[in-house]
Amino acid sequence: MSKRNQPDDGIERVEGKFDPLDEERDWSAAASEERCKRIARNTGKRLVKIIDTKLEPLPIICIFEDYPDE
């Protein structure tokens, strides 16, 4: 997805491979972006990145961070 096509919601969206050993943040696999948003809401985390691996059955990788302390 090009930068031009990305919604302005603060979530980075990319396509490509995902290496779980390189990722230090919390992550989860999901079937869709909507599921990523639901997981974030249910866990109290902030969804910061979505990776579309195009690998079935769960092609979407959701990357989460804690909300900053206010």
Side-chain angles (χ1 to χ4, degrees):
M1 184 176 275
S2 72
K3 292 228 182 241
R4 219 172 300 154
N5 296 344
Q6 289 194 20
D8 188 24
D9 57 5
I11 301 170
E12 179 184 358
R13 290 169 175 81
V14 296
E15 293 180 357
K17 295 182 180 181
F18 172 69
D19 185 356
L21 300 177
D22 287 341
E23 184 57 61
E24 296 179 0
R25 297 172 287 189
D26 291 338
W27 64 272
S28 183
S32 67
E33 279 193 32
E34 290 74 29
R35 290 289 183 188
C36 286
K37 292 174 183 177
R38 181 179 287 174
I39 292 168
R41 194 170 47 248
N42 289 342
T43 60
K45 301 272 186 178
R46 183 169 59 107
L47 179 60
V48 294
K49 186 174 185 178
I50 295 173
I51 303 171
D52 186 353
T53 64
K54 302 202 183 298
L55 300 173
E56 294 296 333
L58 298 173
I60 306 296
I61 302 297
C62 322
I63 309 292
F64 306 99
E65 290 182 351
D66 289 327
Y67 280 100
D69 292 334
E70 294 183 30

